[in-house]
Amino acid sequence: MKTITVHASRIYDVRVGQGLLSGTGETLRALGAGSRVALVSDDNVFPLYGERAEKSLTQAGFTVLRFVFPAGEKSKNLAVYGALLNAMCEAGLSRFDTVAALGGGVVGDLAGFAAATYQRGAGFIQLPTSLLAAVDSSVGGKTAVDLTAGKNQVGAFYQPMAVLCDTDVFATLPEEEVQNGAAEVVKTAMIADAALFETLEREPARVISEETVARCVAVKRDHVEKDERDLGVRMMLNFGHTFGHAVEAVSGYTVPHGRAVAMGMAAVARAAHAMGYCDESVARRLTAMLEKAGLPTALPYSAEDLARAAGTDKKSAGDQVRLIVPRAIGRCDILSVEKSALSDWLKAGGAR
Ligand code: MG
């Protein structure tokens, strides 16, 4: 097992290893959590791992409120959020009790925002069951739900008390889920860890070692510790996401996050090379890595449509968009780009 300690507005451990779900109850006991736990999950994940987590909690003496909602981004809304808060209130949870998020990014975002706001802040533990959640969304304290007007438009920074990444669950992930996570792993290596990138180049695709997850968590930890509220260096984690989010929006959210980010990373690397920010080998090695992971690298959308979507992203400010641009494998820069120049960048990246 590996432990990465995060020193943010709350100090907490991220544990990566086999069998950790079965220790959920003990972990919360050791953290001095109250007597009740709202175990939040979706109807894909709960049948697979719910019993493991619930049994651990009840054996450790916790009363468990089970809250399972339909899987998918569509559930990450104010109605489901409100239903969870009401269920917690009716079950008599206090702010000394705990919300446990068992699932991927959607579960973590929704449960985390409920924890952040219930009685002005209850306990919170993340039990990520997707690779994407393990290496990215479960660490760092970003929580949110969607509005009909836009994704993640209401939320809070709220750090968990602990994150338990049980690597046993990654063995049973469907291919699409592995790919989604792999995109964030490649992103992490690209922004901060050239040695990890070289390791991934040597390893066969689909290998998700404890070591790889732990190194991604460590990179995320470093960025969160320097910039918890995402005003500076944490934006580096947005590499590939400016164009990736635009692909998601333009495709009507039919392209999964990881695939969209892969397209975004490949495109911005091609554009960065074309504009003289990096060597040709950077785009070539990144593209090869993404292809090995079964991820797309072409950008089959109109530059105008993508530029419009990227210009309305919530990471944009005024007339500028912060674009994360690769300089080398393992090193990126944050660039302020005029919104009016985005379509040139996108065309240089291969958009129509
Ligand atoms: Mg992402």
Side-chain angles (χ1 to χ4, degrees):
M1 187 189 71
K2 297 196 159 31
T3 302
I4 300 100
T5 303
V6 183
H7 291 257
S9 49
R10 184 182 253 155
I11 298 170
Y12 59 98
D13 284 345
V14 181
R15 294 199 196 115
V16 183
Q18 289 185 299
L20 291 177
L21 267 187
S22 308
T24 308
E26 273 172 58
T27 302
L28 281 182
R29 268 281 155 263
L31 288 166
S35 58
R36 291 168 209 267
V37 175
L39 180 59
V40 182
S41 192
D42 68 38
D43 60 3
N44 280 345
V45 169
F46 194 85
L48 295 173
Y49 314 114
E51 200 184 300
R52 233 177 281 179
E54 193 170 311
K55 198 171 145 203
S56 163
L57 289 165
T58 48
Q59 278 176 351
F62 291 100
T63 303
V64 176
L65 161 69
R66 197 192 282 183
F67 188 88
V68 179
F69 61 83
E73 183 79 25
K74 279 196 180 72
S75 290
K76 211 177 93 176
N77 60 38
L78 289 171
V80 176
Y81 161 75
L84 170 56
L85 294 178
N86 270 309
M88 287 167 64
C89 201
E90 280 162 13
L93 269 81
S94 81
R95 66 195 169 94
F96 304 106
D97 293 319
T98 309
V99 180
L102 176 70
V106 168
V107 172
D109 275 6
L110 182 107
F113 186 50
T117 48
Y118 184 72
Q119 297 187 355
R120 302 191 185 90
F124 178 40
I125 185 169
Q126 288 267 24
L127 309 169
T129 62
S130 74
L131 181 58
L132 186 144
V135 301
D136 193 14
S137 62
S138 70
V139 180
K142 280 193 185 175
T143 73
V145 297
D146 301 336
L147 300 179
T148 45
K151 273 184 80 171
N152 295 327
Q153 293 299 304
V154 55
F157 287 96
Y158 196 66
Q159 302 293 340
M161 299 148 69
V163 182
L164 303 181
C165 299
D166 186 338
T167 50
D168 285 342
V169 309
F170 303 144
T172 57
L173 287 177
E175 182 61 26
E176 187 185 300
E177 279 302 308
V178 175
Q179 290 175 354
N180 267 317
E184 303 287 357
V185 172
V186 173
K187 173 199 81 177
T188 304
M190 277 296 294
I191 61 172
D193 197 336
L196 174 59
F197 195 93
E198 282 156 22
T199 302
L200 295 172
E201 281 180 321
R202 283 192 304 270
E203 278 177 354
R206 276 204 70 109
V207 170
I208 311 153
S209 67
E210 188 179 297
E211 171 71 21
T212 296
V213 174
R215 282 171 78 167
C216 290
V217 170
V219 168
K220 180 108 195 220
R221 183 262 324 267
D222 293 345
H223 287 79
V224 168
E225 286 185 348
K226 285 182 198 140
D227 176 26
E228 183 170 350
R229 296 186 75 85
D230 202 14
L231 299 166
V233 75
R234 185 170 178 172
M235 289 183 199
M236 213 68 95
L237 296 161
N238 214 35
F239 173 56
H241 282 62
T242 304
F243 296 164
H245 286 153
V247 168
E248 288 183 282
V250 168
S251 75
Y253 294 94
T254 57
V255 177
H257 184 70
R259 296 180 75 81
V261 168
M263 292 180 198
M265 289 193 285
V268 78
R270 283 189 293 264
H273 164 58
M275 300 204 183
Y277 288 96
C278 66
D279 194 78
E280 178 272 334
S281 67
V282 174
R284 179 166 38 82
R285 287 173 71 193
L286 171 62
T287 304
M289 172 80 79
L290 295 170
E291 283 169 357
K292 188 170 96 168
L295 289 161
T297 56
L299 197 60
Y301 298 94
S302 120
E304 308 304 327
D305 290 350
L306 290 171
R308 203 171 307 117
T312 55
D313 197 85
K314 74 179 183 314
K315 303 266 162 154
S316 67
D319 295 333
Q320 310 266 318
V321 169
R322 306 283 174 81
L323 200 59
I324 314 306
V325 171
R327 304 303 300 256
I329 300 291
R331 187 165 61 86
C332 292
D333 277 345
I334 303 172
L335 217 67
S336 273
V337 173
E338 294 284 334
K339 283 182 182 171
S340 57
L342 275 177
S343 73
D344 289 342
W345 274 85
L346 283 155
K347 277 177 193 147
R352 292 200 305 264

